Amino acid sequence: MAHATRRLSSSRPTFRGTGLAALAVLPLGFLVVFFAWPVAAIIGRGFGSGGVGTAIGDPLTWKLAGFTVASAGVSTIVAVLAGLPVAFLLARVRLPGVSLVRTLVLVPFVLPTVVVGLAFRALWPDGGLLPLVLANAFFNVAVVARTVSGLWSHLDPRTVDAARALGASPWRAFRSVTLPALAPAIASSAAVVFLFCATSFGVVLILGGAKYRTLETEIYLRTVELLDLSGAAALSLVQFAAVVAALVVGALARRRRENAVRLRSRSETARRPRGGEWWAVAAGLAVIALLMTPIVALLVESVSTSDGWSLAGYEALAGQGSRNALQVSGWDAASMSLRTAFDATTLAMIVGVLASVVLVALRRTPGRLARGMGETMDAALMLPLGVSAVTVGFGYLVTLDALPGDLRTSPLLVPLAQALVIIPLIVRMVLPVLRSVDVRLRQAASTLGASPGRVWREIDLPLTARSLVAAAGFGYVVALGEFGATSFLARPDAPTLPVAVATLISRPGELNNQMAYAACALLMIVTVVAVVLIDRFGAVRGQNSVGEF
C-alpha cells in the first residue's frame, strides 16, 4: 500500500512545475517590486554619494550598532525568561482560566507601537533605557510563550517522572531533561524576538528620546531630517547584516523544532499542578499581571487631567486638537486607519496565501533543489520584518514614479507598505496549517480526477478556512497599528490614527496629550476585542494561533 501511494504521488504530483512557477510569480514579483527595488534604490543612492565607506568607518555607526544589539539582546533575554513560565502554564496546566491566559498573552504582541510607547510613558514619564528594554520585551513575550508551549505540549512527561524517580529535584529534572528538549523552540523564538527588538521604531522614538538611539531611529533621522543618504545607507547595510544573521539562526532553530515535533505525537499532558509546579504557575500568572499593568496605566491616563477625571480627550477626538494640531479630526484619522488596514490586509492575504501554497508544494516536492528553493523563498519573505521601514518608505518615494500611474500619489501607497509588513506574519500563521493537511486526502482527490485547483477548493480550503480567517484578522490589527513606514508615507491631510497620535504628542498642550491617550485607548480596545475574536474563532485543536515562529 505504501509503495502504491508513493508511485501515485510521483505519477500525479500535486503541483506541476509550470503551475508552481506561475503561482510563485505574484509573491516573488511583489517582493521584488515593493521591497527589493526600493531598498536597493536607497542603498544605491547612498553609495552614489560616495560617503558609505566613511559612514561605516565612523565610530558612531558602530556605537549605534552596539547599543542596538545590546538593548535588543537584553530585551530578548527578558522576554524569554518571562515567556517560559507562561509557556508551562499553557502547555502543562489544567486550571480554570488558562484559556483566558492564552488570549491575554497575545494582546501585547499586536498592540500598536505608539500605544505601547505611551503606555510605558504613563509609568515612566521621562522615558529612559529601562522602560525601553521592558517595552520591547513586553511586545514579544507572546512569541516565546506560544512557540515554546507548542513544543512543550508534545514532550512526554514520563521522561521527567523518570528523572524524579531517580532522585533528581524538580529544578534539576527541568534543567537536565525538559530544557534541552525545548532548546529548538527557545532558540527559534529568541531569534525572532531579537529581530523584532532590533528593528523596533515607535517604542524607541517615544521612550528613547534624543539620548537613546538605535539603528532604526538613526536611519529615520538621517533620511528624513538630515538627508544624509550615505549615512542612512551605511546603517541600513549594518542592520541588514544583523537581520540576515537572526533569520539564519531562526530558520535553523525552526527546522530543529519541526523535527522535534514530528518525532512526538501530541498527547493530553495538561493536568492540575503538583508540589513545586505551583511556583511556576504563580510565576506565569505574575507575568500576565505585569503585562496588563501598562495597559491599565494607559486607560487611567486617558481619563486623567490636571483637574481630575475627565473624558475631555475622547470628546476632543471630534476636533483637530489644540491649535489645530491635526489637519483632520481624530475620527477622520480613525476612519482612514480602518480603510487602509482593510486594503493592506486584502493584499497581504492574496500574496501571503499564495506564497504559503508555493512553500508547501516545494516542501512536498522530492529533491534537494526544491527544498533549497523553498528555504530561500521562506527566508526572503521574512526579510521585510528586519529592514528599516523608513528605508522602504523613502525607497517608495524615489522609485514608484517609474510604475504606471505614479503610485507615489496613490492612496494605495500606505496599504502597500503595510502589506509588506504583515505578509511575513500571515505566512508564518498559514504555512503550518497548510502543511498539516493530510497529503493522502489530496492524493485521493487527484486520483479521482480533480485538478490542482479543485483539490485546493475541496480539500485545503475547508480544512484551513478558520485559520485563514484568523490570519486575516491578525494581519488587520497589525496593519491598523503599523507606524514605521506609515509615519513616513501618510499625508498630513490623510493620517492614520497612530500617525495622528505621534503628531499630537509632539505638540504642546494638555488637550493634545489627552487626545493622544484617548486615541491610543481606542486603538487598544479595538485590538483587544479583535484578538479575543481571532483566538476564539481561529483556534484549532493542535494549532498555535501565533503561527510558526
Side-chain angles (χ1 to χ4, degrees):
M1 180 66 181
H3 176 71
T5 301
R6 287 194 298 269
R7 184 176 61 193
L8 176 62
S9 178
S10 61
S11 62
R12 293 292 303 274
T14 304
F15 289 96
R16 302 192 184 279
T18 53
L20 184 59
L23 284 177
V25 166
L26 179 60
L28 291 179
F30 185 89
L31 200 66
V32 168
V33 174
F34 296 107
F35 174 68
W37 180 29
V39 171
I42 291 300
I43 294 178
R45 287 199 173 200
F47 274 102
S49 64
V52 170
T54 303
I56 289 181
D58 188 350
L60 178 60
T61 299
W62 298 105
K63 181 179 179 181
L64 288 168
F67 176 77
T68 301
V69 170
S71 61
V74 174
S75 294
T76 301
I77 292 172
V78 174
V80 169
L81 293 177
L84 285 178
V86 180
F88 172 79
L89 196 60
L90 299 180
R92 288 291 199 238
V93 174
R94 181 186 295 160
L95 286 173
V98 170
S99 60
L100 178 61
V101 170
R102 188 180 301 276
T103 300
L104 290 178
V105 75
L106 185 57
V107 170
F109 182 67
V110 294
L111 284 178
T113 56
V114 292
V115 172
V116 175
L118 281 186
F120 274 82
R121 204 170 80 167
L123 295 172
W124 282 277
D126 297 328
L129 183 57
L130 179 60
L132 192 157
V133 168
L134 292 178
N136 280 328
F138 169 88
F139 265 120
N140 295 295
V141 170
V143 176
V144 177
R146 291 293 191 105
T147 302
V148 175
S149 67
L151 178 54
W152 207 334
S153 62
H154 287 82
L155 299 183
D156 190 342
R158 291 174 297 181
T159 57
V160 175
D161 294 338
R164 293 296 310 278
L166 293 173
S169 65
W171 168 244
R172 185 175 181 184
F174 173 78
R175 191 177 67 249
S176 303
V177 178
T178 305
L179 193 59
L182 294 177
I186 295 174
S188 174
S189 59
V192 175
V193 170
F194 179 84
L195 177 67
F196 287 152
C197 293
T199 56
S200 177
F201 177 65
V203 166
V204 180
L205 203 64
I206 293 174
L207 297 175
K211 185 176 181 181
Y212 298 104
R213 304 200 307 269
T214 61
L215 288 172
E216 184 82 359
T217 57
E218 187 69 10
I219 290 171
Y220 174 83
L221 174 66
R222 297 194 183 193
T223 303
V224 177
E225 298 185 13
L226 303 180
L227 294 178
D228 178 13
L229 292 185
S230 61
L235 295 176
S236 296
L237 289 175
V238 174
Q239 186 185 55
F240 186 76
V243 165
V244 170
L247 288 175
V248 169
V249 171
L252 293 175
R254 191 163 59 245
R255 186 189 304 173
R256 289 180 58 201
R257 190 181 83 244
E258 290 170 1
N259 292 335
V261 170
R262 280 198 295 268
L263 292 175
R264 304 175 178 92
S265 61
R266 184 183 178 99
S267 58
E268 185 58 49
T269 59
R271 56 175 173 75
R272 187 175 179 82
R274 296 179 301 200
E277 291 176 344
W278 284 104
W279 289 105
V281 172
L285 294 176
V287 169
I288 296 299
L290 290 174
L291 290 179
M292 296 300 105
T293 301
I295 294 175
V296 173
L298 175 66
L299 292 174
V300 171
E301 190 68 24
S302 70
V303 293
S304 301
T305 67
S306 57
D307 298 325
W309 304 108
S310 173
L311 296 177
Y314 293 92
E315 295 169 353
L317 289 174
Q320 296 172 269
S322 177
R323 299 181 181 179
N324 291 328
L326 302 175
Q327 293 188 20
V328 298
S329 71
W331 293 118
D332 288 337
S335 176
M336 176 61 67
S337 289
L338 295 174
R339 294 196 304 270
T340 302
F342 177 82
D343 294 340
T345 304
T346 302
L347 180 58
M349 284 297 293
I350 294 172
V351 176
V353 172
L354 280 178
S356 299
V357 170
V358 172
L359 290 173
V360 171
L362 288 172
R363 186 182 182 88
R364 291 171 177 166
T365 302
R368 291 186 177 181
L369 179 60
R371 180 174 290 273
M373 291 172 59
E375 291 176 352
T376 301
M377 181 177 175
D378 195 3
L381 288 165
M382 286 288 287
L383 282 176
L385 288 179
V387 175
S388 169
V390 176
T391 300
V392 175
F394 194 59
Y396 279 9
L397 297 182
V398 301
T399 58
L400 295 189
D401 62 320
L403 296 178
D406 190 0
L407 289 176
R408 296 180 304 176
T409 59
S410 170
L412 288 176
L413 187 62
V414 173
L416 282 170
Q418 292 181 350
L420 193 66
V421 172
I422 63 178
I423 284 172
L425 302 178
I426 288 174
V427 170
R428 294 268 71 82
M429 290 186 69
V430 173
L431 188 58
V433 180
L434 288 178
R435 285 176 177 170
S436 69
V437 175
D438 193 338
V439 69
R440 291 172 297 183
L441 295 175
R442 311 183 88 257
Q443 291 168 347
S446 296
T447 304
L448 295 174
S451 64
R454 187 174 181 183
V455 170
W456 162 256
R457 292 195 308 272
E458 302 291 340
I459 303 296
D460 295 82
L461 188 58
L463 293 176
T464 61
R466 287 168 63 90
S467 294
L468 291 175
V469 172
F474 193 83
Y476 185 84
V477 295
V478 172
L480 196 64
E482 203 284 325
F483 177 67
T486 307
S487 66
F488 192 77
L489 296 174
R491 300 192 308 270
D493 61 341
T496 61
L497 199 54
V499 174
V501 169
T503 301
L504 287 169
I505 62 176
S506 66
R507 304 294 175 85
E510 184 182 19
L511 182 62
N512 290 337
N513 191 64
Q514 289 303 306
M515 280 183 67
Y517 275 102
C520 282
L522 292 177
L523 272 173
M524 184 183 65
I525 292 170
V526 170
T527 300
V528 170
V529 171
V531 167
V532 171
L533 294 176
I534 291 165
D535 208 46
R536 298 300 184 213
F537 183 81
V540 180
R541 186 175 297 277
Q543 290 294 340
N544 186 339
S545 63
V546 163
E548 194 191 53
F549 286 121

